[in-house]
């Protein structure tokens, strides 16, 4: 067992970690989740709540998750046990199950993305909403959805099977700069649209105070913050377990969270102008998971060649963003079974990939099942995980948390602030968000 600890891989550089973690964070959630959640009535109130949750709650949880991983130098499944004994094995199991649950449907949505990209490139875009809906039902059912799901899984599995440095770090270092370039290009292009200003207003300035008390808006803001930052389910535990002791955890977390939030906001500055220019705001807020795949292609379809080029750039961007996220979702269970059973990386990767293919079939064939998986695994479980992590580092093993902050020479004020936040501020606020989210979820099921 000891030999495995010394063999543990490490990121080659701090920037390697930042890009890999940002690669996990920036994903379909930024492009697709942000657009539909902010248009579900929340408007600017949703954006404000989201940013506040990131700053007040998610940043301390982020550091806590990283401290857990780096201190234990173990996979997410075994890290809590290493620090606090077998009573905390259930937390490891949550870290093992939640990424599997998310990955199973995430790759299905990636399949839709690839299909839309393919159509934009080679076939053409729908010219009206009805055509777009027919197009969406064709890519989200039958054989094509299963092929898209399988290919997306295989692609990510190949990257994960090459390991941390040669796989995940190399790929994210290559793709992340491209992704930032595309998004800047698209945001600049969106300013030229006739509905750009109305789009920005709807997204950022339509402030309705009542929305701050709307359970759906609160739930959306919590879910979006945790989902978008890939928090609460062991991803950052796993990625930080490959960090050296010198890296300053708070600085790294601020770097990753800033990149992710910037991309989320920029994505809003792209999707809202597009959708409002073409008068499709109802299409995006009414439908949920399918929003991007119906409204964006329709809008761009009426914009000629330029629209097609933009569609290719947009869906390529989404796919690149998604690969680097799916890779992180795979790495958690893969490293966990390597750690627990001593399996080789290759064997673990293919076992998990095969399992995920099967587990994703219900979501691939039924969009309602996909929605339910998203509400549970991509929603309440993440928030619950975030609560447990902050409670764990703040109350159960505060000495280890201290140790991790001291070892990387975090200043005394920052250390005090983080300890205070993980003990007294984050747990009650997350518990509040969790109760509201559960209430809103159950309410939706009953009605
Ligand atoms: N953060 C990714 C996104 O916004 O699409 C998705 C994701 C990856 C969610 C990893 C959760 C996670 F643990």
């Amino acid at each position: 067992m000891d030999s495995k600890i010394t063999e543990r891989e490490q990121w080659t550089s701090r920037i390697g970690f930042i890009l890999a973690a940002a690669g996990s964070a920036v994903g379909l959630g930024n492009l697709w989740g942000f657009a539909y959640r902010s248009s579900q009535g929340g408007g600017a109130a949703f954006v404000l709540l989201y940013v506040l949750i990131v700053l007040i709650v998610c940043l301390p949880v982020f550091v806590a998750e990283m401290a857990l991983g780096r201190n234990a130098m173990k996979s997410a499944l075994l890290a809590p046990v290493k620090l606090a004994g077998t009573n905390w094995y259930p937390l490891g199991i949550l870290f093992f199950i939640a990424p599997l649950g998310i990955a199973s449907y995430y790759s299905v949505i990636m399949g839709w993305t690839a299909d839309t990209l393919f159509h934009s490139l080679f076939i053409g875009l729908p010219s009206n909403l009805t055509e777009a809906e027919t197009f969406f039902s064709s890519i989200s059912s039958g054989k094509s959805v299963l092929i898209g799901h399988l290919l997306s899984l295989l692609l990510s599995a190949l990257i994960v099977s090459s390991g941390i440095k040669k796989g995940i770090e190399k790929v994210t270092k290559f793709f992340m700069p491209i992704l930032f370039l595309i998004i800047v290009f698209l945001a600049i292009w969106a300013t030229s649209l006739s509905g750009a200003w109305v789009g920005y207003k709807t997204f950022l300035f339509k402030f309705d105070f009542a929305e701050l008390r709307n359970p759906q808006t609160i739930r959306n803001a919590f879910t979006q913050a945790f989902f978008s930052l890939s928090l609460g389910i062991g991803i950052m535990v796993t990625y930080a377990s490959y960090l050296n002791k010198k890296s300053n955890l708070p600085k790294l977390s601020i770097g990753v969270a800033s990149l992710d939030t910037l991309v989320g906001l920029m994505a809003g500055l792209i999707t809202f102008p597009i959708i409002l220019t073409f008068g499709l705001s109802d299409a995006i807020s009414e439908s949920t998971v399918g929003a991007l795949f119906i409204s964006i292609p329709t809008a761009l379809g009426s914009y000629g060649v330029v629209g097609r080029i933009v569609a290719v750039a947009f869906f390529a961007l989404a796919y690149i963003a998604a690969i680097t996220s799916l890779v992180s979702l795979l790495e958690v269970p893969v490293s966990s079974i390597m750690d627990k059973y001593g399996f080789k990386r290759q064997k673990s990767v293919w076992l998990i990939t095969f399992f995920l293919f099967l587990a994703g079939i219900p979501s691939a064939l039924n969009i309602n099942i996909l929605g339910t998986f998203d509400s549970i695994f991509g929603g309440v479980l993440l928030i619950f995980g975030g609560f447990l992590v902050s409670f764990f580092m703040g109350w159960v093993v505060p000495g280890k948390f201290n140790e991790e902050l001291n070892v990387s020479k975090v200043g005394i004020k920052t250390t005090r602030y983080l300890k205070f936040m993980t003990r007294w501020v984050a747990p009650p606020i997350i518990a509040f968000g969790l109760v509201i989210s559960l209430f809103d979820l159950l309410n939706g099921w009953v009605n």
Side-chain angles (χ1 to χ4, degrees):
M1 274 305 196
D2 269 7
S3 66
K4 256 189 236 105
I5 294 170
T6 49
E7 275 168 19
R8 195 165 196 83
E9 276 199 82
Q10 274 196 0
W11 306 104
T12 50
S13 61
R14 233 168 291 166
I15 193 75
F17 169 83
I18 293 192
L19 291 180
S24 168
V26 173
L28 294 170
N30 300 63
L31 299 163
W32 147 83
F34 211 91
Y36 92 76
R37 289 197 181 103
S38 56
S39 60
Q40 265 181 346
F46 161 83
V47 179
L48 176 73
L49 275 181
Y50 165 79
V51 172
L52 285 178
I53 294 169
V54 168
L55 288 176
I56 299 172
V57 176
C58 290
L59 277 175
V61 172
F62 204 128
V63 180
E65 258 202 70
M66 287 170 68
L68 167 56
R70 193 176 63 175
N71 194 275
M73 292 279 178
K74 282 271 175 198
S75 64
L77 177 66
L78 300 184
V81 174
K82 165 118 189 250
L83 261 56
T86 45
N87 279 348
W88 282 89
Y89 194 44
L91 179 57
I93 297 198
L94 174 76
F95 287 160
F96 181 71
I97 292 175
L100 286 173
I102 297 179
S104 72
Y105 71 85
Y106 201 82
S107 60
V108 172
I109 306 178
M110 280 175 72
W112 303 346
T113 313
D115 228 339
T116 315
L117 175 60
F118 182 85
H119 271 255
S120 323
L121 260 176
F122 301 110
I123 301 171
L125 296 167
S127 52
N128 55 45
L129 263 186
T130 324
E131 237 180 88
E133 273 156 16
T134 316
F135 163 71
F136 181 65
S137 55
S138 78
I139 64 167
S140 58
S141 59
K143 232 195 283 162
S144 64
V145 67
L146 289 177
I147 296 174
H149 167 53
L150 181 64
L151 286 181
S152 302
L153 275 175
L154 289 179
L155 206 60
S156 309
L158 276 178
I159 299 170
V160 177
S161 71
S162 306
I164 298 303
K165 276 187 209 155
K166 291 199 188 127
I168 300 179
E169 184 170 342
K170 215 168 162 188
V171 168
T172 43
K173 266 189 177 158
F174 177 76
F175 275 137
M176 292 309 281
I178 299 180
L179 188 146
F180 289 121
L181 278 181
I182 302 182
I183 203 156
V184 170
F185 157 77
L186 287 174
I188 294 174
W189 173 79
T191 59
S192 70
L193 290 172
S194 58
W197 185 240
V198 193
Y200 300 145
K201 268 207 303 214
T202 314
F203 175 47
L204 291 174
F205 306 119
K206 203 184 78 192
F207 201 94
D208 178 359
F209 273 99
E211 283 297 335
L212 293 174
R213 277 179 280 124
N214 179 346
Q216 189 189 31
T217 307
I218 298 174
R219 173 181 166 208
N220 274 342
F222 268 94
T223 305
Q224 183 62 24
F226 278 87
F227 188 87
S228 184
L229 283 173
S230 305
L231 281 185
I233 57 167
I235 305 254
M236 295 306 159
V237 174
T238 310
Y239 274 17
S241 74
Y242 305 121
L243 268 177
N244 65 35
K245 290 281 183 192
K246 276 187 263 155
S247 318
N248 181 310
L249 303 185
K251 275 194 192 150
L252 291 178
S253 68
I254 290 175
V256 176
S258 314
L259 286 177
D260 183 64
T261 308
L262 196 72
V263 173
L265 293 174
M266 280 179 68
L269 298 181
I270 297 168
T271 45
F272 278 82
I274 295 181
I275 287 157
L276 282 142
T277 299
F278 302 96
L280 295 170
S281 50
D282 288 347
I284 194 163
S285 52
E286 267 167 28
S287 60
T288 51
V289 281
L292 260 193
F293 301 90
I294 294 176
S295 50
I296 300 269
T298 315
L300 295 175
S302 50
Y303 219 75
V305 182
V306 176
R308 215 158 141 187
I309 296 173
V310 169
V312 170
F314 186 85
F315 285 97
L317 163 79
Y319 202 73
I320 292 173
I323 291 181
T324 52
S325 298
L326 185 58
V327 156
S328 71
L329 288 163
L330 280 179
E331 177 60 22
V332 178
V334 164
S335 58
S336 293
I337 56 174
M338 283 167 69
D339 216 8
K340 170 99 180 153
Y341 300 108
F343 288 174
K344 288 258 181 327
R345 179 168 279 275
Q346 296 293 331
K347 182 173 171 186
S348 309
V349 168
W350 298 113
L351 262 176
I352 295 287
T353 306
F354 180 63
F355 171 79
L356 283 175
F357 176 67
L358 297 181
I361 292 177
S363 299
L365 300 179
N366 184 331
I367 201 165
N368 294 327
I369 297 183
L370 190 152
T372 308
F373 262 65
D374 182 41
S375 308
I376 297 171
F377 289 99
V380 287
L381 268 189
L382 289 164
I383 304 175
F384 182 51
F387 170 81
L388 289 179
V389 168
S390 111
F391 180 82
F392 184 77
M393 295 312 282
W395 292 100
V396 182
V397 289
K400 305 276 185 196
F401 193 32
N402 232 348
E403 212 178 274
E404 281 311 301
L405 295 172
N406 285 340
V407 80
S408 46
K409 305 205 170 53
V410 175
I412 186 91
K413 273 196 196 144
T414 313
T415 302
R416 268 201 213 131
Y417 169 78
L418 284 168
K419 279 166 57 183
F420 177 75
M421 296 303 275
T422 37
R423 283 169 86 97
W424 299 105
V425 180
I429 296 184
I430 307 176
F432 164 78
L434 184 62
V435 171
I436 302 267
S437 302
L438 272 173
F439 166 79
D440 189 55
L441 176 67
L442 297 177
N443 204 15
W445 281 349
V446 173
N447 296 318

